[in-house]
Amino acid sequence: ITIVDGVIAQEADHAEDGMPVGLGLIIAGRDVVSVDAVCSEIMGINPLDVDTTRVADQYGLGEADLSAVDIVGESIEDVRRPFIRPDIEISAERFPKMRIISGDYCRSCQYYIRRGLDKLVESNIPNDDEELTIIFGKEPAVPDTLSGRVIMIGDCCLSSLSVKRLRDHLMLDGRLKTVYACPPMQFRIRALELAGD
């Protein structure tokens, strides 16, 4: 059985960055995917927009189609309360002091990278005299050379053929920092250290 304590929920972000929401709900069921789908729908999020729910449904690990789920107790419509989503936009316009190069990436990668970028901005990194390039995602289109410091983030990026030549060159120059893992939560935690000299 899966039980979700939704008495006090949280929106916008998690941990200290989120905002409490009094829902007054306990949600339970024998199918963890269905429980997650119901929770998403209550929060105003399409269950199939949640990567873990969509993939679990695709692999037959549970049911995400709410029309096939028997819901008892309060109806979703009666308790629905759209949540504010976290701001996870990553763009050159949003981070003008950094060069951002990306390939295809998922929301989990986007979330952790965005939180790490926020930490850099809060600490005024890079300053106006520094160059910093952030590269992530599958098969990003990278130039043959880059000046300044470079951070390549995530398993998708680091295993991409498109970055191999540049990655090897930057490693030899000692200007490359890497963050392996999927999702790359270490970037969120260690962004300041990685961007330092």
Side-chain angles (χ1 to χ4, degrees), residues 171-189:
M171 282 195 304
L172 289 172
D173 273 2
R175 294 186 292 119
L176 177 67
K177 300 281 179 82
T178 58
V179 179
Y180 284 92
C182 177
M185 67 177 61
Q186 281 298 312
F187 183 68
R188 178 180 191 256
I189 297 166

Side-chain angles (χ1 to χ4, degrees), residues 12-85:
D13 211 326
H14 77 287
E16 70 278 358
D17 297 321
M19 297 178 290
V21 174
L23 281 182
L25 297 174
I26 299 290
I27 300 152
R30 289 184 295 246
D31 179 339
V32 68
V33 179
S34 296
V35 170
D36 280 352
V38 167
C39 291
S40 296
E41 192 69 32
I42 289 169
M43 298 184 322
I45 299 169
N46 179 339
L48 297 179
D49 286 345
V50 178
D51 295 336
T52 52
T53 303
R54 184 185 68 257
V55 171
D57 181 71
Q58 288 170 346
Y59 280 91
L61 301 175
E63 183 60 64
D65 178 2
L66 293 179
S67 68
V69 176
D70 184 23
I71 297 173
V72 298
E74 299 284 339
S75 71
I76 291 175
E77 292 74 27
D78 287 344
V79 296
R80 181 177 282 120
R81 197 270 192 198
F83 276 36
I84 297 169
R85 294 188 185 200

Side-chain angles (χ1 to χ4, degrees), residues 142-191:
V142 297
D144 289 337
T145 61
L146 283 170
S147 56
R149 290 175 287 149
V150 177
I151 303 173
M152 290 186 182
I153 305 170
D155 291 352
C156 288
C157 173
L158 289 159
S159 64
S160 293
L161 293 176
S162 66
V163 303
K164 184 178 182 347
R165 181 178 172 159
L166 176 64
R167 182 189 66 217
D168 293 348
H169 172 73
L170 292 169
M171 282 195 304
L172 289 172
D173 273 2
R175 294 186 292 119
L176 177 67
K177 300 281 179 82
T178 58
V179 179
Y180 284 92
C182 177
M185 67 177 61
Q186 281 298 312
F187 183 68
R188 178 180 191 256
I189 297 166
R190 298 179 46 226

